[in-house]
Amino acid sequence: MSELVPGAYPIVLSAARPISSSRLWAIPVFGILVKAILLIPHAIILYVLGLVVGISHLVIWIAVLFGGRYPDWGFGLNAGYLRWVTRVTLYIYGITDAYPSFSMEAAGDISITRPESSSRFFAIPLIGILVKCILLIPHGIILYVLGFVVALCQVVIWIPVLFTGHYPEWAFSLVAGTTLWAMRVYAYGLGLTDRYPPFSFS
């Protein structure tokens, strides 16, 4: 994990623009079809893990409300789930050609720094999650639009990758930035950080 600059947001994406990208994955229809098949095991595991993460919050709030700290097992589970999702997302969009590892933590993963303490307010049943949902409405709207733009860009991104073997810089900034933005919002929603996510790609 990379160390954070003092004062920086505690969730950082370490992915860098690849020097070269596989032209195989840029072949229209074939590339995304093969990737989809290869990622079936990840989809199954992440679906189950997502359910476990949801269930875990039925008890995590108790430790936060009465102890003021996210439990070790809960942080490991939730942060590991987000790392895994990020890894698969970056592979799908071609930010990396390395097949995602089946692990809650791997080299090059998104860095999620554990806070010393967690807000008891957000652990108050119903009230905490309701307030968070309201606070995250602006992010939800922006990420909805960005998600549409990222999906639309996939229609043209394959062209430079297929013919030059290079992922375009503008596409990397957009896709990696949107992924980081989304993961910060999810991390905030899951209580992995109490710092409100910035409206930023970096």
Side-chain angles (χ1 to χ4, degrees):
M1 293 297 179
S2 56
E3 294 186 6
L4 289 173
V5 176
Y9 198 77
I11 299 167
V12 178
L13 185 63
S14 60
R17 182 173 172 236
I19 297 175
S20 62
S21 297
S22 173
R23 298 175 192 231
L24 173 67
W25 305 126
I27 298 174
V29 183
F30 174 80
I32 191 63
L33 181 62
V34 173
K35 268 192 179 180
I37 294 171
L38 291 175
L39 288 174
I40 288 175
H42 284 280
I44 295 171
I45 294 171
L46 286 175
Y47 176 78
V48 174
L49 269 180
L51 294 177
V52 174
V53 164
I55 293 171
S56 74
H57 283 270
L58 295 176
V59 293
I60 286 176
W61 69 270
I62 300 174
V64 176
L65 183 61
F66 294 101
R69 194 165 191 271
Y70 217 87
D72 292 338
W73 65 267
F75 188 86
L77 171 66
N78 284 262
Y81 173 72
L82 280 190
R83 292 188 191 104
W84 199 326
V85 169
T86 304
R87 204 180 307 138
V88 171
T89 301
L90 296 178
Y91 179 72
I92 290 173
Y93 286 121
I95 297 296
T96 176
D97 289 329
Y99 188 73
S101 61
F102 292 85
S103 170
M104 301 291 267
E105 187 170 0
D109 269 348
I110 189 171
S111 172
I112 304 175
T113 302
R114 183 188 172 116
E116 292 296 322
S117 61
S118 298
S119 171
R120 296 174 192 245
F121 173 76
F122 289 123
I124 299 175
L126 298 180
I127 296 175
I129 190 66
L130 179 62
V131 171
K132 271 193 178 178
C133 286
I134 293 172
L135 291 174
L136 289 175
I137 288 175
H139 284 283
I141 295 171
I142 294 171
L143 284 173
Y144 177 81
V145 175
L146 283 174
F148 178 76
V149 173
V150 166
L152 196 61
C153 285
Q154 301 309 305
V155 178
V156 296
I157 290 175
W158 67 271
I159 299 173
V161 175
L162 182 61
F163 292 102
T164 70
H166 296 290
Y167 204 89
E169 189 170 350
W170 64 268
F172 175 82
S173 298
L174 173 65
V175 176
T178 300
T179 301
L180 173 60
W181 193 327
M183 290 308 111
R184 284 175 169 173
V185 169
Y186 290 140
Y188 179 75
L190 292 173
L192 297 176
T193 178
D194 290 328
R195 288 183 58 183
Y196 191 71
F199 293 85
S200 171
F201 281 157
S202 59

mmCIF file with all atom_site columns, all heavy atoms in Angstrom, residues 11 18 23 28 33-34 37 68 86 88 90 92 107 111 114 141-142 148 159 163 182 185 188 192:
data_model
loop_
_atom_site.group_PDB
_atom_site.id
_atom_site.type_symbol
_atom_site.label_atom_id
_atom_site.label_alt_id
_atom_site.label_comp_id
_atom_site.label_asym_id
_atom_site.label_entity_id
_atom_site.label_seq_id
_atom_site.pdbx_PDB_ins_code
_atom_site.Cartn_x
_atom_site.Cartn_y
_atom_site.Cartn_z
_atom_site.occupancy
_atom_site.B_iso_or_equiv
_atom_site.pdbx_formal_charge
_atom_site.auth_seq_id
_atom_site.auth_comp_id
_atom_site.auth_asym_id
_atom_site.auth_atom_id
_atom_site.pdbx_PDB_model_num
ATOM 1   N N   . ILE A 1 11  ? -8.509  7.364   0.869   1.00 0.00 ? 11  ILE A N   1
ATOM 2   C CA  . ILE A 1 11  ? -8.732  6.305   -0.119  1.00 0.00 ? 11  ILE A CA  1
ATOM 3   C C   . ILE A 1 11  ? -8.079  6.722   -1.424  1.00 0.00 ? 11  ILE A C   1
ATOM 4   O O   . ILE A 1 11  ? -8.454  7.727   -2.024  1.00 0.00 ? 11  ILE A O   1
ATOM 5   C CB  . ILE A 1 11  ? -10.234 6.049   -0.312  1.00 0.00 ? 11  ILE A CB  1
ATOM 6   C CG1 . ILE A 1 11  ? -10.835 5.594   1.023   1.00 0.00 ? 11  ILE A CG1 1
ATOM 7   C CG2 . ILE A 1 11  ? -10.477 5.014   -1.398  1.00 0.00 ? 11  ILE A CG2 1
ATOM 8   C CD1 . ILE A 1 11  ? -12.318 5.594   1.066   1.00 0.00 ? 11  ILE A CD1 1
ATOM 9   N N   . PRO A 1 18  ? -1.393  2.231   -18.206 1.00 0.00 ? 18  PRO A N   1
ATOM 10  C CA  . PRO A 1 18  ? -0.491  1.178   -18.690 1.00 0.00 ? 18  PRO A CA  1
ATOM 11  C C   . PRO A 1 18  ? 0.383   1.657   -19.853 1.00 0.00 ? 18  PRO A C   1
ATOM 12  O O   . PRO A 1 18  ? -0.052  2.468   -20.676 1.00 0.00 ? 18  PRO A O   1
ATOM 13  C CB  . PRO A 1 18  ? -1.457  0.070   -19.130 1.00 0.00 ? 18  PRO A CB  1
ATOM 14  C CG  . PRO A 1 18  ? -2.731  0.790   -19.446 1.00 0.00 ? 18  PRO A CG  1
ATOM 15  C CD  . PRO A 1 18  ? -2.802  1.921   -18.465 1.00 0.00 ? 18  PRO A CD  1
ATOM 16  N N   . ARG A 1 23  ? -4.213  -5.737  -27.356 1.00 0.00 ? 23  ARG A N   1
ATOM 17  C CA  . ARG A 1 23  ? -5.121  -5.500  -28.482 1.00 0.00 ? 23  ARG A CA  1
ATOM 18  C C   . ARG A 1 23  ? -6.210  -6.563  -28.551 1.00 0.00 ? 23  ARG A C   1
ATOM 19  O O   . ARG A 1 23  ? -7.265  -6.346  -29.146 1.00 0.00 ? 23  ARG A O   1
ATOM 20  C CB  . ARG A 1 23  ? -4.328  -5.508  -29.794 1.00 0.00 ? 23  ARG A CB  1
ATOM 21  C CG  . ARG A 1 23  ? -3.263  -4.400  -29.850 1.00 0.00 ? 23  ARG A CG  1
ATOM 22  C CD  . ARG A 1 23  ? -2.429  -4.515  -31.115 1.00 0.00 ? 23  ARG A CD  1
ATOM 23  N NE  . ARG A 1 23  ? -1.260  -3.645  -31.034 1.00 0.00 ? 23  ARG A NE  1
ATOM 24  C CZ  . ARG A 1 23  ? -0.907  -2.780  -31.969 1.00 0.00 ? 23  ARG A CZ  1
ATOM 25  N NH1 . ARG A 1 23  ? -1.631  -2.645  -33.055 1.00 0.00 ? 23  ARG A NH1 1
ATOM 26  N NH2 . ARG A 1 23  ? 0.163   -2.023  -31.827 1.00 0.00 ? 23  ARG A NH2 1
ATOM 27  N N   . PRO A 1 28  ? -13.651 -5.911  -31.287 1.00 0.00 ? 28  PRO A N   1
ATOM 28  C CA  . PRO A 1 28  ? -15.089 -5.698  -31.053 1.00 0.00 ? 28  PRO A CA  1
ATOM 29  C C   . PRO A 1 28  ? -15.850 -6.992  -30.757 1.00 0.00 ? 28  PRO A C   1
ATOM 30  O O   . PRO A 1 28  ? -15.620 -8.013  -31.402 1.00 0.00 ? 28  PRO A O   1
ATOM 31  C CB  . PRO A 1 28  ? -15.557 -5.066  -32.373 1.00 0.00 ? 28  PRO A CB  1
ATOM 32  C CG  . PRO A 1 28  ? -14.340 -4.389  -32.904 1.00 0.00 ? 28  PRO A CG  1
ATOM 33  C CD  . PRO A 1 28  ? -13.198 -5.298  -32.542 1.00 0.00 ? 28  PRO A CD  1
ATOM 34  N N   . LEU A 1 33  ? -16.695 -10.200 -24.685 1.00 0.00 ? 33  LEU A N   1
ATOM 35  C CA  . LEU A 1 33  ? -17.355 -11.490 -24.466 1.00 0.00 ? 33  LEU A CA  1
ATOM 36  C C   . LEU A 1 33  ? -16.443 -12.442 -23.709 1.00 0.00 ? 33  LEU A C   1
ATOM 37  O O   . LEU A 1 33  ? -16.859 -13.100 -22.746 1.00 0.00 ? 33  LEU A O   1
ATOM 38  C CB  . LEU A 1 33  ? -17.770 -12.107 -25.809 1.00 0.00 ? 33  LEU A CB  1
ATOM 39  C CG  . LEU A 1 33  ? -18.493 -13.456 -25.734 1.00 0.00 ? 33  LEU A CG  1
ATOM 40  C CD1 . LEU A 1 33  ? -19.798 -13.312 -24.967 1.00 0.00 ? 33  LEU A CD1 1
ATOM 41  C CD2 . LEU A 1 33  ? -18.758 -13.991 -27.140 1.00 0.00 ? 33  LEU A CD2 1
ATOM 42  N N   . VAL A 1 34  ? -15.176 -12.515 -24.143 1.00 0.00 ? 34  VAL A N   1
ATOM 43  C CA  . VAL A 1 34  ? -14.215 -13.390 -23.466 1.00 0.00 ? 34  VAL A CA  1
ATOM 44  C C   . VAL A 1 34  ? -13.987 -12.911 -22.033 1.00 0.00 ? 34  VAL A C   1
ATOM 45  O O   . VAL A 1 34  ? -13.932 -13.716 -21.092 1.00 0.00 ? 34  VAL A O   1
ATOM 46  C CB  . VAL A 1 34  ? -12.875 -13.429 -24.238 1.00 0.00 ? 34  VAL A CB  1
ATOM 47  C CG1 . VAL A 1 34  ? -11.826 -14.186 -23.441 1.00 0.00 ? 34  VAL A CG1 1
ATOM 48  C CG2 . VAL A 1 34  ? -13.069 -14.080 -25.607 1.00 0.00 ? 34  VAL A CG2 1
ATOM 49  N N   . ILE A 1 37  ? -16.817 -13.951 -19.789 1.00 0.00 ? 37  ILE A N   1
ATOM 50  C CA  . ILE A 1 37  ? -16.760 -15.373 -19.435 1.00 0.00 ? 37  ILE A CA  1
ATOM 51  C C   . ILE A 1 37  ? -15.696 -15.603 -18.369 1.00 0.00 ? 37  ILE A C   1
ATOM 52  O O   . ILE A 1 37  ? -15.926 -16.325 -17.387 1.00 0.00 ? 37  ILE A O   1
ATOM 53  C CB  . ILE A 1 37  ? -16.461 -16.230 -20.689 1.00 0.00 ? 37  ILE A CB  1
ATOM 54  C CG1 . ILE A 1 37  ? -17.636 -16.145 -21.663 1.00 0.00 ? 37  ILE A CG1 1
ATOM 55  C CG2 . ILE A 1 37  ? -16.190 -17.683 -20.301 1.00 0.00 ? 37  ILE A CG2 1
ATOM 56  C CD1 . ILE A 1 37  ? -17.373 -16.776 -23.015 1.00 0.00 ? 37  ILE A CD1 1
ATOM 57  N N   . GLY A 1 68  ? -17.282 3.305   19.333  1.00 0.00 ? 68  GLY A N   1
ATOM 58  C CA  . GLY A 1 68  ? -16.667 4.400   18.577  1.00 0.00 ? 68  GLY A CA  1
ATOM 59  C C   . GLY A 1 68  ? -15.591 3.947   17.611  1.00 0.00 ? 68  GLY A C   1
ATOM 60  O O   . GLY A 1 68  ? -14.794 4.755   17.150  1.00 0.00 ? 68  GLY A O   1
ATOM 61  N N   . THR A 1 86  ? -13.032 -3.056  -7.066  1.00 0.00 ? 86  THR A N   1
ATOM 62  C CA  . THR A 1 86  ? -12.226 -2.097  -7.826  1.00 0.00 ? 86  THR A CA  1
ATOM 63  C C   . THR A 1 86  ? -11.305 -2.819  -8.802  1.00 0.00 ? 86  THR A C   1
ATOM 64  O O   . THR A 1 86  ? -11.176 -2.431  -9.967  1.00 0.00 ? 86  THR A O   1
ATOM 65  C CB  . THR A 1 86  ? -11.377 -1.219  -6.882  1.00 0.00 ? 86  THR A CB  1
ATOM 66  O OG1 . THR A 1 86  ? -12.233 -0.579  -5.940  1.00 0.00 ? 86  THR A OG1 1
ATOM 67  C CG2 . THR A 1 86  ? -10.609 -0.167  -7.662  1.00 0.00 ? 86  THR A CG2 1
ATOM 68  N N   . VAL A 1 88  ? -11.653 -5.764  -10.198 1.00 0.00 ? 88  VAL A N   1
ATOM 69  C CA  . VAL A 1 88  ? -12.425 -6.315  -11.307 1.00 0.00 ? 88  VAL A CA  1
ATOM 70  C C   . VAL A 1 88  ? -12.886 -5.210  -12.256 1.00 0.00 ? 88  VAL A C   1
ATOM 71  O O   . VAL A 1 88  ? -12.844 -5.361  -13.481 1.00 0.00 ? 88  VAL A O   1
ATOM 72  C CB  . VAL A 1 88  ? -13.642 -7.113  -10.771 1.00 0.00 ? 88  VAL A CB  1
ATOM 73  C CG1 . VAL A 1 88  ? -14.577 -7.505  -11.909 1.00 0.00 ? 88  VAL A CG1 1
ATOM 74  C CG2 . VAL A 1 88  ? -13.175 -8.356  -10.026 1.00 0.00 ? 88  VAL A CG2 1
ATOM 75  N N   . LEU A 1 90  ? -11.452 -2.300  -12.878 1.00 0.00 ? 90  LEU A N   1
ATOM 76  C CA  . LEU A 1 90  ? -10.315 -1.812  -13.666 1.00 0.00 ? 90  LEU A CA  1
ATOM 77  C C   . LEU A 1 90  ? -9.958  -2.796  -14.779 1.00 0.00 ? 90  LEU A C   1
ATOM 78  O O   . LEU A 1 90  ? -9.548  -2.394  -15.875 1.00 0.00 ? 90  LEU A O   1
ATOM 79  C CB  . LEU A 1 90  ? -9.097  -1.573  -12.760 1.00 0.00 ? 90  LEU A CB  1
ATOM 80  C CG  . LEU A 1 90  ? -9.260  -0.480  -11.702 1.00 0.00 ? 90  LEU A CG  1
ATOM 81  C CD1 . LEU A 1 90  ? -8.001  -0.390  -10.846 1.00 0.00 ? 90  LEU A CD1 1
ATOM 82  C CD2 . LEU A 1 90  ? -9.550  0.868   -12.346 1.00 0.00 ? 90  LEU A CD2 1
ATOM 83  N N   . ILE A 1 92  ? -12.169 -4.885  -16.255 1.00 0.00 ? 92  ILE A N   1
ATOM 84  C CA  . ILE A 1 92  ? -13.253 -4.803  -17.236 1.00 0.00 ? 92  ILE A CA  1
ATOM 85  C C   . ILE A 1 92  ? -13.025 -3.651  -18.207 1.00 0.00 ? 92  ILE A C   1
ATOM 86  O O   . ILE A 1 92  ? -13.186 -3.794  -19.424 1.00 0.00 ? 92  ILE A O   1
ATOM 87  C CB  . ILE A 1 92  ? -14.617 -4.619  -16.530 1.00 0.00 ? 92  ILE A CB  1
ATOM 88  C CG1 . ILE A 1 92  ? -15.023 -5.899  -15.802 1.00 0.00 ? 92  ILE A CG1 1
ATOM 89  C CG2 . ILE A 1 92  ? -15.699 -4.213  -17.540 1.00 0.00 ? 92  ILE A CG2 1
ATOM 90  C CD1 . ILE A 1 92  ? -16.265 -5.751  -14.947 1.00 0.00 ? 92  ILE A CD1 1
ATOM 91  N N   . ALA A 1 107 ? -1.450  -6.751  -4.357  1.00 0.00 ? 107 ALA A N   1
ATOM 92  C CA  . ALA A 1 107 ? -0.529  -5.675  -4.728  1.00 0.00 ? 107 ALA A CA  1
ATOM 93  C C   . ALA A 1 107 ? -1.191  -4.757  -5.742  1.00 0.00 ? 107 ALA A C   1
ATOM 94  O O   . ALA A 1 107 ? -1.836  -5.207  -6.679  1.00 0.00 ? 107 ALA A O   1
ATOM 95  C CB  . ALA A 1 107 ? 0.756   -6.273  -5.309  1.00 0.00 ? 107 ALA A CB  1
ATOM 96  N N   . SER A 1 111 ? -5.943  1.837   -1.982  1.00 0.00 ? 111 SER A N   1
ATOM 97  C CA  . SER A 1 111 ? -5.520  1.943   -0.590  1.00 0.00 ? 111 SER A CA  1
ATOM 98  C C   . SER A 1 111 ? -6.642  2.548   0.243   1.00 0.00 ? 111 SER A C   1
ATOM 99  O O   . SER A 1 111 ? -7.157  3.619   -0.067  1.00 0.00 ? 111 SER A O   1
ATOM 100 C CB  . SER A 1 111 ? -4.268  2.828   -0.493  1.00 0.00 ? 111 SER A CB  1
ATOM 101 O OG  . SER A 1 111 ? -3.945  3.091   0.855   1.00 0.00 ? 111 SER A OG  1
ATOM 102 N N   . ARG A 1 114 ? -7.412  2.754   7.494   1.00 0.00 ? 114 ARG A N   1
ATOM 103 C CA  . ARG A 1 114 ? -8.351  2.567   8.600   1.00 0.00 ? 114 ARG A CA  1
ATOM 104 C C   . ARG A 1 114 ? -8.323  3.769   9.536   1.00 0.00 ? 114 ARG A C   1
ATOM 105 O O   . ARG A 1 114 ? -7.254  4.205   9.964   1.00 0.00 ? 114 ARG A O   1
ATOM 106 C CB  . ARG A 1 114 ? -8.002  1.316   9.373   1.00 0.00 ? 114 ARG A CB  1
ATOM 107 C CG  . ARG A 1 114 ? -8.993  1.019   10.486  1.00 0.00 ? 114 ARG A CG  1
ATOM 108 C CD  . ARG A 1 114 ? -8.531  -0.111  11.381  1.00 0.00 ? 114 ARG A CD  1
ATOM 109 N NE  . ARG A 1 114 ? -9.428  -0.206  12.511  1.00 0.00 ? 114 ARG A NE  1
ATOM 110 C CZ  . ARG A 1 114 ? -10.202 -1.240  12.758  1.00 0.00 ? 114 ARG A CZ  1
ATOM 111 N NH1 . ARG A 1 114 ? -10.188 -2.256  11.947  1.00 0.00 ? 114 ARG A NH1 1
ATOM 112 N NH2 . ARG A 1 114 ? -10.990 -1.260  13.810  1.00 0.00 ? 114 ARG A NH2 1
ATOM 113 N N   . ILE A 1 141 ? -26.058 11.605  -8.269  1.00 0.00 ? 141 ILE A N   1
ATOM 114 C CA  . ILE A 1 141 ? -26.452 12.206  -9.548  1.00 0.00 ? 141 ILE A CA  1
ATOM 115 C C   . ILE A 1 141 ? -25.259 12.292  -10.488 1.00 0.00 ? 141 ILE A C   1
ATOM 116 O O   . ILE A 1 141 ? -25.333 11.907  -11.662 1.00 0.00 ? 141 ILE A O   1
ATOM 117 C CB  . ILE A 1 141 ? -27.051 13.612  -9.323  1.00 0.00 ? 141 ILE A CB  1
ATOM 118 C CG1 . ILE A 1 141 ? -28.358 13.506  -8.528  1.00 0.00 ? 141 ILE A CG1 1
ATOM 119 C CG2 . ILE A 1 141 ? -27.288 14.325  -10.660 1.00 0.00 ? 141 ILE A CG2 1
ATOM 120 C CD1 . ILE A 1 141 ? -28.915 14.835  -8.067  1.00 0.00 ? 141 ILE A CD1 1
ATOM 121 N N   . ILE A 1 142 ? -24.130 12.791  -9.964  1.00 0.00 ? 142 ILE A N   1
ATOM 122 C CA  . ILE A 1 142 ? -22.932 12.948  -10.796 1.00 0.00 ? 142 ILE A CA  1
ATOM 123 C C   . ILE A 1 142 ? -22.406 11.592  -11.266 1.00 0.00 ? 142 ILE A C   1
ATOM 124 O O   . ILE A 1 142 ? -22.042 11.421  -12.433 1.00 0.00 ? 142 ILE A O   1
ATOM 125 C CB  . ILE A 1 142 ? -21.837 13.718  -10.031 1.00 0.00 ? 142 ILE A CB  1
ATOM 126 C CG1 . ILE A 1 142 ? -22.296 15.154  -9.769  1.00 0.00 ? 142 ILE A CG1 1
ATOM 127 C CG2 . ILE A 1 142 ? -20.518 13.725  -10.820 1.00 0.00 ? 142 ILE A CG2 1
ATOM 128 C CD1 . ILE A 1 142 ? -21.390 15.929  -8.843  1.00 0.00 ? 142 ILE A CD1 1
ATOM 129 N N   . PHE A 1 148 ? -22.752 6.759   -17.267 1.00 0.00 ? 148 PHE A N   1
ATOM 130 C CA  . PHE A 1 148 ? -23.281 6.750   -18.628 1.00 0.00 ? 148 PHE A CA  1
ATOM 131 C C   . PHE A 1 148 ? -22.204 7.182   -19.624 1.00 0.00 ? 148 PHE A C   1
ATOM 132 O O   . PHE A 1 148 ? -22.045 6.582   -20.688 1.00 0.00 ? 148 PHE A O   1
ATOM 133 C CB  . PHE A 1 148 ? -24.490 7.691   -18.721 1.00 0.00 ? 148 PHE A CB  1
ATOM 134 C CG  . PHE A 1 148 ? -25.086 7.786   -20.092 1.00 0.00 ? 148 PHE A CG  1
ATOM 135 C CD1 . PHE A 1 148 ? -25.870 6.760   -20.601 1.00 0.00 ? 148 PHE A CD1 1
ATOM 136 C CD2 . PHE A 1 148 ? -24.844 8.892   -20.890 1.00 0.00 ? 148 PHE A CD2 1
ATOM 137 C CE1 . PHE A 1 148 ? -26.417 6.837   -21.883 1.00 0.00 ? 148 PHE A CE1 1
ATOM 138 C CE2 . PHE A 1 148 ? -25.379 8.980   -22.175 1.00 0.00 ? 148 PHE A CE2 1
ATOM 139 C CZ  . PHE A 1 148 ? -26.173 7.947   -22.661 1.00 0.00 ? 148 PHE A CZ  1
ATOM 140 N N   . ILE A 1 159 ? -10.846 1.582   -30.262 1.00 0.00 ? 159 ILE A N   1
ATOM 141 C CA  . ILE A 1 159 ? -10.198 1.898   -31.545 1.00 0.00 ? 159 ILE A CA  1
ATOM 142 C C   . ILE A 1 159 ? -8.705  2.206   -31.383 1.00 0.00 ? 159 ILE A C   1
ATOM 143 O O   . ILE A 1 159 ? -7.863  1.555   -32.023 1.00 0.00 ? 159 ILE A O   1
ATOM 144 C CB  . ILE A 1 159 ? -10.923 3.060   -32.265 1.00 0.00 ? 159 ILE A CB  1
ATOM 145 C CG1 . ILE A 1 159 ? -12.376 2.662   -32.558 1.00 0.00 ? 159 ILE A CG1 1
ATOM 146 C CG2 . ILE A 1 159 ? -10.208 3.428   -33.561 1.00 0.00 ? 159 ILE A CG2 1
ATOM 147 C CD1 . ILE A 1 159 ? -13.228 3.782   -33.115 1.00 0.00 ? 159 ILE A CD1 1
ATOM 148 N N   . PHE A 1 163 ? -5.578  -0.406  -32.580 1.00 0.00 ? 163 PHE A N   1
ATOM 149 C CA  . PHE A 1 163 ? -4.653  -0.022  -33.648 1.00 0.00 ? 163 PHE A CA  1
ATOM 150 C C   . PHE A 1 163 ? -3.303  0.512   -33.165 1.00 0.00 ? 163 PHE A C   1
ATOM 151 O O   . PHE A 1 163 ? -2.344  0.516   -33.935 1.00 0.00 ? 163 PHE A O   1
ATOM 152 C CB  . PHE A 1 163 ? -5.323  1.011   -34.567 1.00 0.00 ? 163 PHE A CB  1
ATOM 153 C CG  . PHE A 1 163 ? -6.456  0.437   -35.369 1.00 0.00 ? 163 PHE A CG  1
ATOM 154 C CD1 . PHE A 1 163 ? -7.774  0.663   -35.006 1.00 0.00 ? 163 PHE A CD1 1
ATOM 155 C CD2 . PHE A 1 163 ? -6.207  -0.363  -36.478 1.00 0.00 ? 163 PHE A CD2 1
ATOM 156 C CE1 . PHE A 1 163 ? -8.825  0.119   -35.741 1.00 0.00 ? 163 PHE A CE1 1
ATOM 157 C CE2 . PHE A 1 163 ? -7.240  -0.911  -37.215 1.00 0.00 ? 163 PHE A CE2 1
ATOM 158 C CZ  . PHE A 1 163 ? -8.559  -0.675  -36.851 1.00 0.00 ? 163 PHE A CZ  1
ATOM 159 N N   . ALA A 1 182 ? -16.325 6.635   -7.334  1.00 0.00 ? 182 ALA A N   1
ATOM 160 C CA  . ALA A 1 182 ? -17.367 5.706   -6.894  1.00 0.00 ? 182 ALA A CA  1
ATOM 161 C C   . ALA A 1 182 ? -16.940 4.927   -5.655  1.00 0.00 ? 182 ALA A C   1
ATOM 162 O O   . ALA A 1 182 ? -17.717 4.758   -4.705  1.00 0.00 ? 182 ALA A O   1
ATOM 163 C CB  . ALA A 1 182 ? -17.723 4.748   -8.024  1.00 0.00 ? 182 ALA A CB  1
ATOM 164 N N   . VAL A 1 185 ? -17.179 7.017   -2.548  1.00 0.00 ? 185 VAL A N   1
ATOM 165 C CA  . VAL A 1 185 ? -18.577 7.168   -2.122  1.00 0.00 ? 185 VAL A CA  1
ATOM 166 C C   . VAL A 1 185 ? -19.054 5.894   -1.424  1.00 0.00 ? 185 VAL A C   1
ATOM 167 O O   . VAL A 1 185 ? -19.698 5.952   -0.372  1.00 0.00 ? 185 VAL A O   1
ATOM 168 C CB  . VAL A 1 185 ? -19.480 7.504   -3.327  1.00 0.00 ? 185 VAL A CB  1
ATOM 169 C CG1 . VAL A 1 185 ? -20.957 7.392   -2.948  1.00 0.00 ? 185 VAL A CG1 1
ATOM 170 C CG2 . VAL A 1 185 ? -19.171 8.910   -3.833  1.00 0.00 ? 185 VAL A CG2 1
ATOM 171 N N   . TYR A 1 188 ? -17.473 5.625   2.014   1.00 0.00 ? 188 TYR A N   1
ATOM 172 C CA  . TYR A 1 188 ? -18.138 6.539   2.956   1.00 0.00 ? 188 TYR A CA  1
ATOM 173 C C   . TYR A 1 188 ? -19.484 5.956   3.376   1.00 0.00 ? 188 TYR A C   1
ATOM 174 O O   . TYR A 1 188 ? -19.848 5.974   4.554   1.00 0.00 ? 188 TYR A O   1
ATOM 175 C CB  . TYR A 1 188 ? -18.324 7.902   2.295   1.00 0.00 ? 188 TYR A CB  1
ATOM 176 C CG  . TYR A 1 188 ? -19.032 8.926   3.156   1.00 0.00 ? 188 TYR A CG  1
ATOM 177 C CD1 . TYR A 1 188 ? -18.371 9.546   4.221   1.00 0.00 ? 188 TYR A CD1 1
ATOM 178 C CD2 . TYR A 1 188 ? -20.359 9.289   2.901   1.00 0.00 ? 188 TYR A CD2 1
ATOM 179 C CE1 . TYR A 1 188 ? -19.010 10.495  5.012   1.00 0.00 ? 188 TYR A CE1 1
ATOM 180 C CE2 . TYR A 1 188 ? -21.007 10.231  3.683   1.00 0.00 ? 188 TYR A CE2 1
ATOM 181 C CZ  . TYR A 1 188 ? -20.335 10.832  4.737   1.00 0.00 ? 188 TYR A CZ  1
ATOM 182 O OH  . TYR A 1 188 ? -20.978 11.772  5.519   1.00 0.00 ? 188 TYR A OH  1
ATOM 183 N N   . LEU A 1 192 ? -16.360 3.184   6.166   1.00 0.00 ? 192 LEU A N   1
ATOM 184 C CA  . LEU A 1 192 ? -14.914 2.932   6.230   1.00 0.00 ? 192 LEU A CA  1
ATOM 185 C C   . LEU A 1 192 ? -14.148 4.226   6.443   1.00 0.00 ? 192 LEU A C   1
ATOM 186 O O   . LEU A 1 192 ? -12.980 4.208   6.823   1.00 0.00 ? 192 LEU A O   1
ATOM 187 C CB  . LEU A 1 192 ? -14.442 2.242   4.943   1.00 0.00 ? 192 LEU A CB  1
ATOM 188 C CG  . LEU A 1 192 ? -15.053 0.854   4.686   1.00 0.00 ? 192 LEU A CG  1
ATOM 189 C CD1 . LEU A 1 192 ? -14.607 0.311   3.347   1.00 0.00 ? 192 LEU A CD1 1
ATOM 190 C CD2 . LEU A 1 192 ? -14.672 -0.107  5.809   1.00 0.00 ? 192 LEU A CD2 1
#
